[in-house]
Amino acid sequence: MSTPVKVAVTGAAGQIGYSLLFRIASGSLLGPDTPVQLRLLEITPALKALEGVVMELDDCAFPLLSGVEIGDDANVVFDGANIALLVGARPRSKGMERGDLLEANGAIFKPQGAALNAHAADDIKVLVTGNPANTNALIAKSNAPDIPAERFNALTRLDHNRALAQLAAKTGTTVNDIRHLTIWGNHSATQYPDVFHAEVNGQNASELVDQAWLESTFIPTVQQRGAAIIEARGASSAASAANATVDHMRDWVLGTPEGDWVSMSVPSDGSYGIAEGIITSFPCTTSGGDYSIVQGLEINEFSQARIDASVAELQEEREAVRSLGLV
Ligand code: NAX
């Protein structure tokens, strides 16, 4: 067997961590031939709970799990990491202003970016799941000047998967029948799930559904799905978020299927006229560990207005973290 890949996970004792770690250790992330070492970061008060999770990992006797290191110091935990899944973040508490939320998360993602810069392996790939994911990724990226910017991604794959499920249900098909769906923009209620290039069994999706369904059902359902799950479950989505985190990183490392693309929040290179540098969702293909933004899609007026709105929100978030000295 090959040398274990070092996978760092933050917020490892949290809800998402409780699903994510077992998926990684079982081989869902890197396949059945790649051993992994887990390197788990938590805040000091959560280390005891994390020890319990590690006991359960031990008790699974996963053949691919070569070891587990835990700690509360990012400089130690990120040492030699090839993959970093940044899940731990500061949630918005009641009455918290957006500026306070960004500042509180800056206090997490700024030092974590610096620790990755100083200690991670040269091939490090970073995926931010913790919200506000896109701007947290921007903060981490900005504080890791020696790591190529394109190695910092944020998670919009859960939104992509949610949109696939909604479109499949509406068209009486399965997610396997759908290609070329895209989430554009921010992982927030402004995100834009775009079916205008999507195909359902080879037929353009926008010809199979009417505009009224798109506008009043599909788009708001995908945008508000996180809130609907909190309402129903009494807790935010965790297993599906862990699954999407695995999907995103697995595809980034191992490649997207031939003839399809996925949605990934990546630093904008100016494609589709989107402000350079913000981390926003695009249609992407991946191969050999690198991704490319799908080029040349025609964007209609309806889509453009929605992409612009979500990108504007990300630009505002960037301005806010700039004024706080976080990027
Ligand atoms: P939990 O509150 O269950 O777990 C978060 C964990 O992070 C806690 O154990 C906490 O101790 C830890 N943590 C806090 N600060 C830390 C730090 N500086 N270093 C290391 N660990 C730290 O939240 P959970 O439900 O697991 O969600 C985690 C994050 O994912 C949240 O920010 C959440 O909003 C976000 N989500 C993102 C999604 C996405 O699609 N991008 C969807 C699901 C989820 O809402």
Side-chain angles (χ1 to χ4, degrees):
M1 274 215 176
S2 46
T3 322
V5 174
K6 293 184 177 176
V7 182
V9 179
T10 71
Q15 278 205 96
I16 294 176
Y18 195 65
S19 285
L20 181 59
L21 303 180
F22 297 85
R23 297 285 304 279
I24 299 169
S26 69
S28 296
L29 182 68
L30 297 171
D33 301 319
T34 307
V36 290
Q37 185 202 83
L38 285 171
R39 305 186 64 84
L40 310 178
L41 184 71
E42 258 298 349
I43 52 172
T44 317
L47 284 176
K48 176 106 175 105
L50 185 55
E51 281 171 19
V53 178
V54 175
M55 287 160 75
E56 286 204 72
L57 281 165
D58 288 344
D59 295 350
C60 291
F62 285 120
L64 290 173
L65 185 58
S66 78
V68 185
E69 301 286 330
I70 72 169
D72 57 5
D73 182 351
N75 290 302
V76 177
V77 173
F78 290 161
D79 189 38
N82 307 103
I83 287 174
L85 303 173
L86 307 186
V87 177
R90 175 73 194 276
R92 189 188 289 249
S93 44
K94 220 173 178 183
M96 199 181 203
E97 297 292 331
R98 194 178 61 161
D100 298 335
L101 179 74
L102 292 171
E103 193 167 14
N105 277 289
I108 296 174
F109 287 87
K110 192 174 174 176
Q112 288 187 0
L116 286 165
N117 196 57
H119 302 288
D122 288 345
D123 65 350
I124 182 73
K125 286 180 165 63
V126 184
L127 172 59
V128 177
T129 296
N131 281 323
N134 296 59
T135 295
N136 287 342
L138 181 73
I139 295 169
K141 165 179 90 93
S142 307
N143 288 282
D146 304 326
I147 300 176
E150 66 271 14
R151 306 278 191 79
F152 287 86
N153 286 191
L155 187 73
T156 33
R157 182 64 174 266
L158 178 55
D159 310 294
H160 179 98
N161 289 346
R162 287 167 170 166
L164 280 177
Q166 293 299 318
L167 185 59
K170 174 70 177 172
T171 55
T173 60
T174 74
V175 295
N176 307 301
D177 301 317
I178 303 175
R179 305 263 177 282
H180 297 164
L181 196 89
T182 307
I183 303 292
W184 299 90
N186 198 2
H187 170 69
S188 77
T190 68
Q191 65 174 272
Y192 173 53
D194 177 1
V195 304
F196 287 98
H197 304 97
E199 290 172 7
V200 181
N201 285 322
Q203 198 179 344
N204 190 283
S206 64
E207 291 164 11
L208 294 170
V209 297
D210 57 70
Q211 186 71 17
W213 178 77
L214 267 189
E215 281 186 53
S216 17
T217 305
F218 175 73
I219 296 172
T221 300
V222 175
Q223 289 174 333
Q224 302 295 337
R225 187 69 164 179
I229 286 167
I230 293 174
E231 178 68 28
R233 204 175 88 86
S236 57
S237 33
S240 56
N243 176 68
T245 302
V246 167
D247 281 354
H248 179 128
M249 186 54 79
R250 182 202 59 222
D251 286 352
W252 189 1
V253 174
L254 300 177
T256 40
E258 191 61 39
D260 200 5
W261 67 60
V262 294
S263 302
M264 298 168 67
S265 282
V266 304
S268 172
D269 60 358
S271 292
Y272 298 95
I274 292 174
E276 259 179 68
I278 57 167
I279 296 188
T280 183
S281 192
F282 283 103
C284 292
T285 56
T286 66
S287 169
D290 295 320
Y291 61 80
S292 354
I293 297 172
V294 174
Q295 297 296 323
L297 299 177
E298 253 181 60
I299 308 297
N300 63 24
E301 227 174 278
F302 179 85
S303 298
Q304 192 64 56
R306 282 158 181 78
I307 295 170
D308 289 349
S310 198
V311 165
E313 181 183 57
L314 282 169
Q315 285 176 288
E316 278 169 30
E317 287 183 15
R318 177 166 66 179
E319 282 318 306
V321 293
R322 243 187 213 147
S323 67
L324 291 166
L326 296 170
V327 303

